[in-house]
Amino acid sequence: MRAVITETPLFGLTITILAYCFGLYLSRRTRKAVFNPLLIAEIIIIAVLLAFHIPFSAYSKGGEIINMFLGPVTAMLAWSIYRERKLVGKHIMPIIAGTVAGSVASIVTILLLSRLFHLSPELGASLLPKSVTTPIAIAISETLGGTRAITVTSLLFTGVMGNILAPFMISLFHVRSRVAQGVAIGTASHVVGTSKALEMGEDIGAISGIALSFSGISTAIIAMLFL
Amino acid sequence: MRILLQLSLLFLLTIIGNAVSSVLPFTFPGTLIALFLLLVLLASGIIREEQLSESASFFSRYMALFFVPAGVEIIESLELLRSSWLSIVLISLISLFVTFLVAAKAVEITERLMMGKEREE
């Protein structure tokens, strides 16, 4: 009977959707960045798999189906960029300058630190795209030979820390321009940081959303050209 | 049927993107090629913004759901995580601060340069 339950793709699908819904519920109730729906869902699923000795291969039959949607989800970012075209047009130069400079800074820092800490090339490749939006980060990590699970883990951690620390970093670095605040949040901490930016103001949130798409694209291009 | 057509278009673009990516002489994610294709379709007016609104709002609303399985895969690399969690945490934090600082200052410098130019004109 056990195999009937876990060996169908429906198992992975159901547990993923239910765990995510619970994560959404918890994050809406508490409004705390630490209760990130993605983080909660992952912890619940991993706990269930470990507790009932369910092999990952059984889970991934359904998981792969959800994974398949990463492509369409990434493509859909084009729609968000297009919808904000007026705002993009108005601040196009600062946005490009900020996202490109930020992406270069992120890649260079991670490359240097990976060497300093003697990380394996595989681990380095997994960390490299960790500042950019998840679907693009997973694609870059796979192209560079990284482990996508490590990418997602470090990316989540970065996003949650960015969400919590954004106001602190803004005052620490004396960032007065609202465009600069939005671009910095989106470039450094992708969509999880952007949710904080939205709380700080609709304009900062929109700029942050544009910046996360732009920095994803520029990170992919830089990775393609130099790595 | 509208939503079915929207989904088919997104799937089709992803397939084309991956196909193009496989014949490129350099490595570039196919999903990003799909993103560019959709941007061209929207900018050229072949597809209108509102023709995609249902699936776009669904995907952006529940976006994180689609990342869950990739994250659960960490269960396969727990050993790696156990041995190098400290470097992962340190690298993530340091690069967060550096990226934030550089991005913010690059925007402020560009804004200042552009304002100076406007004043000259």
Side-chain angles (χ1 to χ4, degrees):
Chain A
M1 193 188 83
R2 196 192 156 87
V4 178
I5 296 174
T6 59
E7 290 295 318
T8 156
L10 282 175
F11 169 73
L13 281 175
T14 313
I15 190 177
T16 307
I17 295 171
L18 283 181
Y20 177 70
C21 286
F22 181 71
L24 268 185
Y25 167 78
L26 214 60
S27 93
R28 279 177 190 167
R29 278 303 287 270
T30 59
R31 297 178 167 277
K32 290 264 183 297
V34 193
F35 291 105
N36 176 282
L38 176 53
L39 195 68
I40 307 268
E42 274 184 35
I43 292 171
I44 293 174
I45 297 169
I46 290 175
V48 169
L49 295 186
L50 290 177
F52 296 99
H53 301 287
I54 300 165
F56 177 74
S57 58
Y59 167 76
S60 74
K61 279 182 190 162
E64 274 306 313
I65 297 176
I66 296 180
N67 244 330
M68 220 169 54
F69 281 88
L70 284 176
V73 167
T74 315
M76 207 42 128
L77 290 176
W79 187 83
S80 316
I81 298 178
Y82 184 74
R83 200 175 54 158
E84 299 291 345
R85 58 194 177 279
K86 279 204 186 108
L87 197 62
V88 176
K90 199 174 155 201
H91 302 288
I92 186 74
M93 286 313 286
I95 293 176
I96 291 182
T99 51
V100 171
S103 309
V104 172
S106 172
I107 291 179
V108 171
T109 325
I110 295 169
L111 280 179
L112 288 178
L113 290 175
S114 302
R115 200 159 295 171
L116 189 71
F117 292 154
H118 302 292
L119 297 189
S120 68
E122 187 199 338
L123 191 53
S126 316
L127 293 182
L128 203 70
K130 64 147 198 67
S131 278
V132 311
T133 185
T134 318
I136 299 183
I138 291 175
I140 298 176
S141 169
E142 282 176 343
T143 331
L144 295 177
T147 313
R148 62 182 182 188
I150 300 275
T151 308
V152 173
T153 308
S154 60
L155 180 147
L156 252 177
F157 177 72
T158 307
V160 172
M161 291 319 283
N163 182 306
I164 298 170
L165 294 174
F168 169 71
M169 290 192 285
I170 285 171
S171 60
L172 176 71
F173 300 136
H174 305 290
V175 185
R176 283 187 199 93
S177 149
R178 292 176 78 81
V179 178
Q181 294 176 0
V183 169
I185 295 175
T187 305
S189 52
H190 57 91
V191 73
V192 185
T194 299
S195 60
K196 183 64 168 199
L198 276 167
E199 285 170 22
M200 295 163 61
E202 211 170 293
D203 53 336
I204 301 184
I207 297 267
S208 177
I210 297 161
L212 78 89
S213 312
F214 272 54
S215 66
I217 295 167
S218 68
T219 303
I221 294 176
I222 295 164
M224 170 192 83
L225 290 177
F226 299 106
L227 305 171
Chain B
M1 200 177 82
R2 233 173 107 93
I3 297 180
L4 293 181
L5 282 176
Q6 294 173 359
L7 285 178
S8 315
L9 173 76
L10 288 174
F11 293 165
L12 191 66
L13 287 175
T14 310
I15 296 172
I16 296 173
N18 285 332
V20 172
S21 161
S22 70
V23 295
L24 285 179
F26 45 81
T27 48
F28 194 70
T31 52
L32 275 185
I33 297 173
L35 186 157
F36 287 125
L37 288 176
L38 182 57
L39 204 54
V40 169
L41 289 177
L42 285 166
S44 62
I46 297 172
I47 290 173
R48 276 174 291 117
E49 189 186 329
E50 59 277 10
Q51 282 177 314
L52 281 176
S53 54
E54 286 89 359
S55 41
S57 51
F58 176 79
F59 277 132
S60 44
R61 200 155 167 205
Y62 302 113
M63 198 186 226
L65 166 70
F66 302 101
F67 315 147
V68 173
V72 172
E73 241 174 62
I74 195 77
I75 203 171
E76 300 268 88
S77 338
L78 285 181
E79 270 312 305
L80 184 61
L81 199 63
R82 202 166 292 149
S83 58
S84 35
W85 67 272
L86 187 63
S87 8
I88 294 177
V89 166
L90 280 177
I91 292 179
S92 298
L93 270 180
I94 297 172
S95 78
L96 170 70
F97 274 83
V98 174
T99 310
F100 194 99
L101 174 67
V102 172
K105 291 303 154 188
V107 172
E108 290 195 325
I109 291 169
T110 315
E111 282 183 326
R112 217 165 296 148
L113 285 175
M114 286 170 69
M115 257 167 50
K117 230 184 211 168
E118 267 168 32
R119 220 167 283 151
E120 273 170 36
E121 283 161 6

